Structure formats: C-alpha cells, structure tokens
Amino acid sequence: MIATAHSIIRNAPAPFDAEVSLDYEGRLLRRKRLSCEGGDFMVDLPEVTSLDDGDAFELSDGRQVVVRAAPEPVLVIRGNLPRLAWHIGNRHTPCRIEADRLVIRQDHVLEAMLKQLGADMCRKDMPFRPEGGAYGHGRTFGHDHGPATNHPHGAGEHTHSHAESHSHAHAESHSHAHDHA
C-alpha cells in the first residue's frame, strides 16, 4: 500500500528520509501523487496548501519527506526597485523582494513592460520563493473576488472592473483590467 501524507510540518527539522523537488506551482496542492528517491507517495491534505522550501510531508509509514524549491525560469530585476515593485504588484504578480533586486517568474509580457520602465533584467533558472503577503502562508490568498463585478480595494475611489468570465483559484495566475477613478 502506498504511503499517504495527511499533514505537513512547517520548517521541519532534519533528518529527513527523502526529499521532493517542486516548482512554485507544484508547491500549491491538496491531493496529488508524488515521486521521490524513497518511492511514490500520495498527498491527501484537508485543503489546498502552499508549501515552502523546508516544509515536510509526514507520511503514514512514519517517514518524513522534505520539500525543496526546484529551479525554474525567473527574471532577476534591477533598477528603480520601488517603482518596478509597484508595477509588478499592481498586476498581482508573485515577487521575491530583496535589497538589491526583485525576482519574478519569467513572463514575456511583464518582461516587455519592465524593459519599457528601464529595468535591468537577466534570465536565470533558480528556485522561486516569492513573498507570502499579509494574508496567506506562501501565497497571497487575501485578494478575494466574489460575484460582484466592481468592488472597493481599500480607501478612496479605487475599484477594479472584472470581466464576466473572471475566475481563478489563487492570485498568482490572474489578470484583469484596472479602472482607477
């Protein structure tokens, strides 16, 4: 019978029995079969969970499998970081913010916009570990979109206009036009 993980241990202490390497999208899961050097196992968590590098699955057979952030295509951005971060954040794009650079997943549309804004960029393959935000562990789940087509976003007259067919599971994969009155 295949071992199953029903829970995770955040920032788990070593030693580990095995490790599994997952990219940013792969680290958001609820139910999935995974493979590692210790063999296959089933993940069956009570809800969709965002995993961080260093979290571990606690398997039904007593083993612990640590999660490692897999290298993936990213853009390393330098330049006027406050301005560039504002434009990235305005598009609800996950971003790693460091003292001397920003890191986002490669996206040709964002790359063109950032180039137009004067950013210095280079493409790399490295683990992507964006900021978690104020509302969620590892992901910014706090940006809720209910059935309303226009809703306030904080103080003032700031609203979004959403298309009728707008739907998404989490903030990192959506885009929409902004109407700022």
Side-chain angles (χ1 to χ4, degrees), residues 35-46:
S35 296
C36 64
E37 68 270 10
D40 290 358
F41 64 97
M42 186 70 192
V43 176
D44 188 11
L45 301 173

Side-chain angles (χ1 to χ4, degrees), residues 56-76:
F57 294 106
E58 189 169 33
L59 303 186
S60 56
D61 63 7
R63 292 180 296 147
Q64 287 187 7
V65 178
V66 69
V67 174
R68 293 295 177 214
E72 59 189 293
V74 298
L75 287 175
V76 177

Side-chain angles (χ1 to χ4, degrees), residues 101-156:
R101 68 185 188 170
L102 305 172
V103 181
I104 63 172
R105 291 177 28 191
Q106 283 185 22
D107 177 298
H108 69 279
V109 173
L110 289 175
E111 188 174 358
M113 176 199 70
L114 293 166
K115 184 176 183 179
Q116 197 170 36
L117 292 168
D120 294 319
M121 293 172 287
C122 67
R123 294 177 178 179
K124 286 192 171 186
D125 283 334
M126 58 188 264
F128 182 58
R129 298 181 196 104
E131 302 299 318
Y135 300 105
H137 177 78
R139 312 275 168 152
T140 52
F141 290 118
H143 189 89
D144 184 42
H145 291 86
T149 56
N150 287 317
H151 59 275
H153 252 286

